[in-house]
Amino acid sequence: MRDTGSRLSIREYLQLIGVRDLPPLTSPFDPGYDPVTVESHLEQSAHLMASLKISMACWQIANEAATRRKIAAARSHGVPAVTGGGPFEVAVAQGQLEAYLDLCANLGITRIECGEGFTELALKPREVVKLAHERGLVVQYEMGKKHEGPFTEDSLEEAVARGHSWLDAGAVQLVVEARESAKGVGTFGDDGSLNAAYADRFAEEFGLDIAMFEAPNKPSQFAFLEHFGQRVHLCNVRLEELLRVEIFRRGLHSDAFALPNLRPALPGVEIGR
Amino acid sequence: MRDTGSRLSIREYLQLIGVRDLPPLTSPFDPGYDPVTVESHLEQSAHLMASLKISMACWQIANEAATRRKIAAARSHGVPAVTGGGPFEVAVAQGQLEAYLDLCANLGITRIECGEGFTELALKPREVVKLAHERGLVVQYEMGKKHEGPFTEDSLEEAVARGHSWLDAGAVQLVVEARESAKGVGTFGDDGSLNAAYADRFAEEFGLDIAMFEAPNKPSQFAFLEHFGQRVHLCNVRLEELLRVEIFRRGLHSDAFALPNLRPALPGVEIGR
Amino acid sequence: MRDTGSRLSIREYLQLIGVRDLPPLTSPFDPGYDPVTVESHLEQSAHLMASLKISMACWQIANEAATRRKIAAARSHGVPAVTGGGPFEVAVAQGQLEAYLDLCANLGITRIECGEGFTELALKPREVVKLAHERGLVVQYEMGKKHEGPFTEDSLEEAVARGHSWLDAGAVQLVVEARESAKGVGTFGDDGSLNAAYADRFAEEFGLDIAMFEAPNKPSQFAFLEHFGQRVHLCNVRLEELLRVEIFRRGLHSDAFALPNLRPALPGVEIGR
């Protein structure tokens, strides 16, 4: 048997075949997995995670030790732990925003998501962000409604306006709603097709560093990457789908290898992208 | 940064926002996960599990040590481990009921499910329950047929009658069949819609402490909770969906927060439910 | 309480009810799970795995330590670790086949899959197999195209011809493509129905020890087992579905118990199969 001699690391191999290094650009979410699984995903993929959403209200009814364990695991890998918009909206509706923020800070959460997906918010963005900052919590804001169907021209402009008011108030990123289905919500029509013009509106208004897109399933993940290319920031990707998203992003998936904006460069050939 | 001072536990926070404590009301199932994942789900959610079904015949062909490990984990968290109706039916059909019961008892199973979903049972309920009790096994009975489509008026009444005969014989709970699909079976039409009148028939006849409903996917889980409210006992929920079911049950899911029978009370306001 | 006396193992119980021992006949795949979950599945089910596919290119962008941990776990259970056809095709297209093979060998991979699912291969099978063998790597070849729809009479014959040329060159097994969907690809029509005549063509040409069938979801898994019976070799089964496939194979699933070619023999009765 041949002595292979060269002891390439996988990373060196990827460079050989023209795959570029990318910063973490996906924010996966934990839809209620067990803590050991979450921890082991972090070991495997922390370098690909821009943040980790401890999702929905699941963390509020799990054993508290299990919730703390997940958050601590994220922190120990340097991945910001984010709570979802739902618990924020419920806290506000029940008149307990400050208690909610105290709880998040105490649990070790880095960032909270604010939104008005299924409630109306009477508070001003600036008030909310101030209360969060007092507790060391970073803020992101989710644009869109959960129960009103896809964006219309009007609701799109309203969402954009709200996005600006939250950025002005100190929020650091904006999320475009797609729920768990990516169908009949946000930038997705009732058949799940991406309304590229609507998605572009957010990208042009805020840029791809500020605007993030919820991509909860394979068709929405692939659609955003095909449309925007490697640099789009995706969120609400189920943990077990993260690696598939990332190989698609790098053109290593069989459906992405043919796409000019994702395909790895031919080694030795420099392409303008 | 503000010293948050108050060190609320998550449970105290839930009380603040009006979420009631509930006993465990869901019986999730293990569809063939690995033992470490099952153990970690128990750490996270044992307090939400009325029992844990070690599902289908998967435990019979797994490495025996893995099966024993799952059952022992359930026991150590005080969660009764239940075997499904399928292995019972096969055991009877192959003439090995007593060997099956011996095996279950020896493995540490707490409860067995009996049924006639895809076979006919010649034995009387009383005979079966007696054999189970001799081995310290509790009995539940599954009502419904796997391959005959949704209930009809006739098959519904026959299922109710069988339920009574098993309760009379010493079974402690009854399960309403929905398979893995909740489509074209039991109380679900071919389009997956819940036949509420049929579901009510079981609830009225047996009460919500005795009658449990298989709810194998999100639409069936949400339909039962919307229809019956917080107290309905759901089973055959995949382990990774348990937390989502329980936040819906408590009105913490965005789709449940608007529902009067699930929404948390406004703090300080007492509502009659 | 009765002293059950007999301490049957599960395996002895299966013999009692007429379930035969079978060699490992399924090659599951890891679609991007975490390493702890993969390890624990191996503990539970290594005896059922003909090989384990470390899937797609996921292993190339995971933390290298996580990838190595999965491969080492497979090896320690005596399960050959296989890489998928996608990374092979990309390596060839990028002009780095030898580096790819070096990398696989260095990571502890036992077997590689070669294919032309989304690229054209200019190299001769014999050249590829020689390079693999020099590094101690076994070769299997995947027949079929990912993006050209189901087989036609012509593309079927071409796939068969390529299969022969790879076997002649030293490949040990052949895989029939079905992608992740088993719809509109390989032996599956656009509605997901199995074209039994096409499947038979592979079985008759190569035999069920050489030809393996990708069965990525429940309908395709059950369709192949119903059609071919217990001895068909299935691959690309998600790890968490492996046990369900294997109870179906043994007639222990409620949908398989009625099928003459899968149903366990009645104890004491010898059936010709």
Side-chain angles (χ1 to χ4, degrees), chain C residues 82-155:
Chain C
V82 188
T83 51
F88 166 82
E89 293 193 51
V90 170
V92 173
Q94 302 299 90
Q96 295 293 341
L97 176 59
E98 296 207 41
Y100 173 72
L101 297 173
D102 287 343
L103 181 66
C104 290
N106 176 253
L107 289 168
I109 291 294
T110 301
R111 183 191 286 208
I112 62 162
E113 185 172 299
C114 302
E116 294 157 88
F118 57 100
T119 59
E120 298 298 323
L121 183 62
L123 295 168
K124 294 212 170 70
R126 204 167 298 275
E127 297 172 64
V128 176
V129 174
K130 178 168 175 287
L131 292 170
H133 283 181
E134 284 172 1
R135 290 156 179 88
L137 295 164
V138 177
V139 173
Q140 63 188 37
Y141 179 73
E142 183 182 47
M143 301 173 292
K145 289 288 185 183
K146 292 184 194 295
H147 301 126
E148 295 182 6
F151 283 122
T152 60
E153 296 287 339
D154 282 352
S155 66

Side-chain angles (χ1 to χ4, degrees), chain A residues 1-11 13-14 16-19 34 36-45 47-48 218 222 239-247 250-255 257-258 263-267, chain C residues 30-37 55-64 66-70 86-87 89-96 98-103 105-107 118-119 133-136 146-147 179-180 238 240:
Chain A
M1 197 178 308
R2 180 170 171 279
D3 176 15
T4 59
S6 70
R7 292 273 181 245
L8 279 182
S9 70
I10 298 179
R11 189 157 169 271
Y13 171 73
L14 289 180
L16 268 188
I17 61 168
V19 175
D34 62 285
V36 169
T37 294
V38 171
E39 285 174 350
S40 191
H41 273 294
L42 280 158
E43 284 164 35
Q44 176 165 267
S45 302
H47 61 294
L48 303 168
K218 179 171 160 176
F222 288 13
L239 271 172
E240 77 171 58
E241 296 179 350
L242 173 60
L243 290 178
R244 189 176 60 193
V245 165
E246 295 306 309
I247 63 173
R250 287 160 178 79
L252 294 170
H253 188 286
S254 58
D255 292 340
F257 189 67
R263 182 180 186 134
L266 258 184
Chain C
D30 161 32
Y33 291 165
D34 62 286
V36 170
T37 294
S55 184
M56 300 187 288
C58 294
W59 59 271
Q60 296 187 329
I61 57 162
N63 184 313
E64 181 166 329
T67 294
R68 287 186 177 273
R69 189 170 161 183
K70 290 178 182 178
E89 293 193 51
V90 170
V92 173
Q94 302 299 90
Q96 295 293 341
E98 296 207 41
Y100 173 72
L101 297 173
D102 287 343
L103 181 66
N106 176 253
L107 289 168
F118 57 100
T119 59
H133 283 181
E134 284 172 1
R135 290 156 179 88
K146 292 184 194 295
H147 301 126
R179 304 209 66 191
E180 279 192 275
R238 291 172 75 86
E240 78 172 58

Side-chain angles (χ1 to χ4, degrees), chain A residues 34-255:
Chain A
D34 62 285
V36 169
T37 294
V38 171
E39 285 174 350
S40 191
H41 273 294
L42 280 158
E43 284 164 35
Q44 176 165 267
S45 302
H47 61 294
L48 303 168
M49 300 185 193
S51 65
L52 174 65
K53 187 176 280 182
I54 308 295
S55 183
M56 299 187 289
C58 293
W59 58 271
Q60 297 187 328
I61 57 163
N63 184 314
E64 182 166 329
T67 294
R68 287 186 177 274
R69 190 171 162 182
K70 290 178 181 177
I71 296 166
R75 290 187 81 94
S76 78
H77 284 90
V79 175
V82 189
T83 51
F88 167 81
E89 293 194 52
V90 169
V92 172
Q94 302 299 90
Q96 295 292 342
L97 176 58
E98 297 209 41
Y100 173 72
L101 298 173
D102 286 345
L103 181 66
C104 288
N106 175 251
L107 288 169
I109 291 295
T110 301
R111 182 190 288 210
I112 62 162
E113 184 173 299
C114 302
E116 295 157 88
F118 57 100
T119 59
E120 297 298 324
L121 183 61
L123 296 168
K124 294 209 170 71
R126 204 166 299 275
E127 296 172 66
V128 175
V129 174
K130 177 169 175 288
L131 291 172
H133 284 182
E134 284 173 359
R135 289 158 180 86
L137 295 164
V138 177
V139 173
Q140 64 188 37
Y141 178 73
E142 183 183 47
M143 302 175 292
K145 290 288 185 184
K146 292 183 194 295
H147 300 126
E148 295 181 7
F151 284 123
T152 61
E153 296 287 341
D154 283 352
S155 66
L156 180 72
E157 291 313 314
E158 189 186 319
V160 167
R162 287 185 195 234
H164 276 298
S165 69
W166 280 83
L167 289 181
D168 292 345
V172 297
Q173 281 188 303
L174 300 172
V175 176
V176 182
E177 172 76 77
R179 304 210 66 191
E180 279 192 274
S181 61
K183 275 193 188 168
V185 63
T187 59
F188 292 95
D190 291 334
D191 62 350
S193 61
L194 175 64
N195 185 323
Y198 284 4
D200 283 341
R201 180 77 180 87
F202 290 105
E204 287 156 13
E205 188 73 27
F206 301 111
L208 288 180
D209 290 333
I210 300 294
M212 296 188 279
F213 295 88
E214 290 187 355
N217 55 19
K218 179 171 160 176
S220 56
Q221 292 153 10
F222 288 13
F224 281 124
L225 288 164
E226 286 180 24
H227 179 65
F228 284 120
Q230 296 193 318
R231 292 286 170 169
V232 66
H233 189 130
L234 301 180
C235 56
N236 281 27
V237 170
R238 293 172 74 87
L239 271 172
E240 77 171 58
E241 296 179 350
L242 173 60
L243 290 178
R244 189 176 60 193
V245 165
E246 295 306 309
I247 63 173
F248 198 93
R249 188 189 290 282
R250 287 160 178 79
L252 294 170
H253 188 286
S254 58
D255 292 340

